[in-house]
Amino acid sequence: MSRVSTGPALGATWAAPANIALVKYWGSRNPDAGLPLSPSLSMTLRHCVATCTVRPRAAAGVQVFQRRRRGQRAGHGGGAEVAVEVTFPVAAGLASSAAIFAAVTCAAIDAFDLELHDDALADLARAGGSGSAARSVAGGFVEWRPGTGDETELEVIAPASHWEVRDVIAIADPCPKRVSSREGHRRAFSSPYFDRRLALLDERIARVRDAIRRRDIDALGAVAEEEAVDLHLIAMSSRPPIRYWRPATVAILEEVEAMRHDGVSAWSTLDAGPNVHVLCEPGAEPEVARRLAGVPGVQRIIRDRVGEGPVASARTLL
Ligand code: PMV
């Protein structure tokens, strides 16, 4: 986190991105605290961002106490004013909560003039209950591991400059989903396939890491597709079941397969929602966007790409 503070009087404003999971976090050892049971790995986005201004109240005093192994953590008696702005659909499976919690965390840390290293920043971001927010405090390709107790581990595998992967997002339904991810994390344990999924994850993480190192979109995309199907298989086989897909979701998935049949290397993945992220390299992006826009039921296309993580902003929302 590079710091550009405007000082406590004006507060601080940060923009933080959403991320798309290549290996998914699904099933939590504490859903209210966003503590994962298994490792996940994502690509930080560039254009889908949340912006947050935090302004400490005048009388506020910050209490800083030592945290075991980890340096500082902030507690605060006086409160702050907080404003958030999001420019893409919220609660629709596009990781808006990850972007929001990452932006709030970065702005608060800056506004209260604190120093945190990446692991601790990630832990603060996910503590509000959106685990994937932990991965949005960093840019590029990011692995997030369960760690121990209430401390998780973050690793930037490669910066955004390593490989310019594009993410063309086809919106099948922009409305907020009926079942939250938090509830999905809780119900995952009731799926008879959940243990099997957990057993597959180390190998998938290794395949994604290798694909990123070699910049191999076909290898990366194959794992991303397996992971998306598995996440939704767990959701649909949970008790009671959770169905995030819409008819347009299926049509988009079929179009992505048809593109590959026609020689376009495009690969689909979904988080907990009906909207589909299609991963490809820059040369394929115009064709992918054009074909997705023509799928019946697609309401909007968002063209995004790998991004560099949170940035301070000179704007203020307050
Ligand atoms: O971050 P949460 O707690 O809202 O969980 C979301 C998890 C998925 O987006 C479905 C997958 C992931 O790893 O981001």
Side-chain angles (χ1 to χ4, degrees), residues 1-317:
M1 179 182 177
S2 54
R3 302 164 59 79
V4 184
S5 184
T6 44
L10 292 173
T13 301
W14 281 72
N19 65 77
I20 177 62
L22 305 166
V23 175
K24 314 286 183 185
Y25 154 52
W26 198 245
S28 173
R29 65 181 196 263
N30 180 349
D32 294 329
L35 279 167
L37 207 64
S38 57
S40 59
L41 199 161
S42 61
M43 179 176 99
T44 301
L45 299 181
R46 181 158 153 190
H47 299 309
C48 288
V49 297
T51 303
C52 175
T53 298
V54 173
R55 186 162 61 205
R57 293 216 172 93
V62 179
Q63 308 138 22
V64 177
F65 56 88
Q66 285 306 114
R67 189 183 190 196
R68 187 168 49 89
R69 291 203 295 116
R70 281 280 180 90
Q72 294 178 333
R73 189 181 189 186
H76 182 259
E81 288 169 80
V82 178
V84 176
E85 179 187 278
V86 185
T87 54
F88 60 100
V90 169
L94 297 176
S96 57
S97 54
I100 292 168
F101 279 108
V104 171
T105 302
C106 291
I109 293 299
D110 194 359
F112 289 109
D113 209 19
L114 300 168
E115 289 281 353
L116 290 185
H117 60 76
D118 278 358
D119 278 358
L121 196 60
D123 273 330
L124 212 53
R126 60 92 191 139
S130 171
S132 59
R135 299 186 310 246
S136 271
V137 303
F141 300 88
V142 181
E143 184 177 336
W144 181 46
R145 293 186 287 270
T148 50
D150 64 352
E151 292 175 353
T152 62
E153 293 165 12
L154 199 73
E155 180 188 1
V156 176
I157 292 166
S161 58
H162 170 72
W163 188 19
E164 208 195 295
V165 176
R166 299 285 165 96
D167 179 8
V168 184
I169 307 167
I171 305 297
D173 184 354
C175 299
K177 55 198 179 201
R178 281 192 291 261
V179 181
S180 67
S181 302
R182 195 174 300 204
E183 179 59 20
H185 289 302
R186 273 197 196 98
R187 285 192 209 169
F189 295 86
S190 66
S191 164
Y193 310 109
F194 186 58
D195 286 346
R196 177 65 189 141
R197 169 175 160 67
L198 291 180
L200 297 170
L201 290 181
D202 284 347
E203 188 240 352
R204 286 187 181 157
I205 291 269
R207 281 166 63 202
V208 170
R209 290 180 69 112
D210 187 54
I212 292 168
R213 187 179 55 77
R214 293 185 296 107
R215 300 186 187 90
D216 182 338
I217 192 73
D218 292 342
L220 183 87
V223 185
E225 284 201 355
E226 286 169 31
E227 269 295 294
V229 169
D230 279 15
L231 184 158
H232 288 270
L233 178 144
I234 299 298
M236 289 187 215
S237 57
S238 292
R239 316 264 162 81
I242 309 168
R243 280 179 292 270
Y244 288 119
W245 293 14
R246 297 282 176 278
T249 308
V250 178
I252 296 163
L253 296 178
E254 285 176 352
E255 184 63 19
V256 173
E257 231 178 283
M259 282 192 236
R260 284 208 297 278
H261 184 75
D262 297 341
V264 180
S265 184
W267 299 87
S268 60
T269 185
L270 303 88
D271 279 346
N275 304 312
V276 184
H277 295 249
V278 182
L279 306 172
C280 61
E281 290 189 295
E285 190 200 349
E287 174 72 356
V288 169
R290 189 188 65 75
R291 287 185 63 161
L292 291 176
V295 175
V298 167
Q299 304 196 16
R300 183 180 160 197
I301 298 288
I302 300 173
R303 291 166 75 151
D304 212 329
R305 62 179 70 179
V306 62
E308 285 164 0
V311 286
S313 165
R315 292 172 64 202
T316 178
L317 303 180

